[in-house]
Amino acid sequence: MNWNKLVPLDDRVLLQFEAEEKQTKSGLVLPDSSREEQYIALVLAIGLGKLLDSGERGRMSVKVGDRVLMRVKGHIIDEERQISIVSESNILGIIFK
């Protein structure tokens, strides 16, 4: 599937997760049990924002191209490319360069 043509609904975000680091900068390999469960992902697409009671849309905090920090991956919809759709509330923060 061409994920560039998918527009998430409401406050959902289409993400592509980066490969997990399995070793430290000094070369030590980390076992799965010692790594903290945090994931970095690239925002591929965003919805229009949550529909508020007033009928207006809430503003999205992220934009396409942002790198974000996640605590969970959510439901992976493309295992090969590590693509997922999550609610914006599952994003912990934006990573600035």
Side-chain angles (χ1 to χ4, degrees):
M1 176 173 193
N2 183 354
W3 298 111
N4 295 331
K5 294 184 179 184
L6 178 72
V7 177
L9 297 177
D10 298 325
D11 68 335
R12 291 180 184 83
V13 181
L14 183 68
L15 300 172
Q16 182 171 29
F17 288 92
E18 295 181 0
E20 297 176 41
E21 293 292 325
K22 296 193 179 201
Q23 67 182 41
T24 65
K25 291 180 181 181
S26 63
L28 295 173
V29 176
L30 298 172
D32 289 338
S33 61
S34 71
R35 281 187 278 138
E36 195 171 333
E37 292 293 322
Q38 293 181 346
Y39 305 99
I40 296 174
L42 177 67
V43 176
L44 301 178
I46 61 172
L48 296 175
K50 185 176 183 174
L51 187 58
L52 306 174
D53 291 337
S54 65
E56 296 180 15
R57 294 276 178 180
R59 188 179 69 81
M60 296 291 283
S61 300
V62 297
K63 64 184 181 305
V64 174
D66 281 348
R67 288 181 69 226
V68 296
L69 180 66
M70 303 284 300
R71 181 66 76 186
V72 295
K73 280 190 173 183
H75 177 69
I76 300 291
I77 56 176
D78 185 332
E79 193 70 39
E80 181 180 331
R81 296 184 194 135
Q82 288 294 295
I83 293 178
S84 179
I85 295 180
V86 300
S87 175
E88 185 183 36
S89 63
N90 290 326
I91 296 172
L92 297 175
I94 300 169
I95 300 170
F96 291 101
K97 294 179 183 178

